[in-house]
Amino acid sequence: SSDGRQGKAICMAKRLRKAIDADALLGRGAALFVLCSVPADAAECEQLLCRGQFTLQITGVLGASGEDPEICYERLVAAAAPGSALQLWFGEDYWKAFGAARRRQLESLSDDAQDSLADGEVVSGEMLELRVLERLMRECYVDEQRCEEELKI
């Protein structure tokens, strides 16, 4: 469709083609994709990138994608010019650390669960506070990374 969407998957080829054309006219161009799922037209994007020397930066963020987008992102970056990069805010290391943290949290909660159930409390207030703190820390980390990138430019 005209807004770049096919169903729920986003189409990036049209936008990428515009960026590559601008790069051909002006030089030293690059594109930054912040994605959480595989673009609907990933094969077309890969073909566009194979044709020239266009730098592509992809930042993969955690989303609700039914398929693992990491493989697609790696193919797109490999097809792009040297200097292209892929940064993932999820992946195997992320999920291992996430699982270990949740396991520890579950173990500590299961010990406290017996005490809480006796008091009639189903969800501990401490759990909600932990989620708020986790979100704040994640937002601070993202802001820190953004500032570091701005300073590098």
Side-chain angles (χ1 to χ4, degrees), residues 3 8 12 30 32 37 48 51 76 125 134 148-149:
D3 70 349
K8 292 187 179 195
M12 299 302 296
L32 170 64
S37 61
L48 287 170
R51 293 182 191 155
L76 290 174
E134 182 180 52
E148 284 180 11
E149 287 298 318

Side-chain angles (χ1 to χ4, degrees), residues 22-35:
D23 178 55
L25 294 173
L26 304 173
R28 297 182 45 99
L32 170 64
F33 286 178
V34 178
L35 302 169

Side-chain angles (χ1 to χ4, degrees), residues 64-142:
S65 177
E67 61 182 300
D68 183 9
E70 184 175 354
I71 298 165
C72 173
Y73 299 166
E74 288 172 348
R75 280 197 331 261
L76 290 174
V77 168
S84 297
L86 172 62
Q87 287 285 335
L88 295 177
W89 299 107
F90 60 93
E92 186 177 343
D93 293 336
Y94 171 85
W95 288 115
K96 283 181 182 177
F98 180 82
R102 291 295 185 199
R103 200 174 300 104
R104 286 190 305 272
Q105 186 178 18
L106 182 61
E107 289 169 357
S108 70
L109 287 175
S110 65
D111 294 340
D112 296 339
Q114 299 303 324
D115 299 334
S116 296
L117 289 176
D119 297 338
E121 184 178 24
V122 177
V123 177
S124 171
E126 293 173 359
M127 178 70 167
L128 297 175
E129 290 175 16
L130 180 65
R131 294 290 293 161
V132 170
L133 287 173
E134 182 180 52
R135 184 176 181 125
L136 286 172
M137 289 178 62
R138 188 177 326 127
E139 289 174 3
C140 289
Y141 179 75
V142 169

